[in-house]
Amino acid sequence: MIEQKVLFGTRRELIERIDFLNEKWFVEVCLIKYYFFGMELFVQRKEIIKRSE
């Protein structure tokens, strides 16, 4: 997989998705990368809980 170059801003990569047993909720584990002039400044790991529709 080829990564796109980001000059300014952020880029979010989905690592995994974990479903709850009752299938009403799920968790997305993402890496958020911050860029400035094409250089990666830092990486943040984020877990987001969402409701299934």
Side-chain angles (χ1 to χ4, degrees):
M1 186 164 114
I2 300 172
E3 289 188 20
Q4 286 183 326
K5 292 283 186 177
V6 178
L7 191 60
F8 292 102
T10 61
R11 183 167 170 219
R12 183 176 153 200
E13 296 179 18
L14 181 65
I15 297 175
E16 68 177 312
R17 178 181 160 153
I18 303 168
D19 293 319
F20 282 91
L21 292 175
N22 62 3
E23 298 178 3
K24 291 185 180 179
W25 300 91
F26 62 91
V27 177
E28 288 183 343
V29 181
C30 302
L31 283 180
I32 301 175
K33 297 182 179 183
Y34 294 86
Y35 293 93
F36 184 72
F37 283 115
M39 295 185 308
E40 187 177 297
L41 295 178
F42 64 94
V43 178
Q44 177 183 16
R45 181 174 180 218
K46 195 169 212 178
E47 298 172 0
I48 304 168
I49 299 174
K50 293 185 178 181
R51 184 181 183 137
S52 299
E53 298 296 325

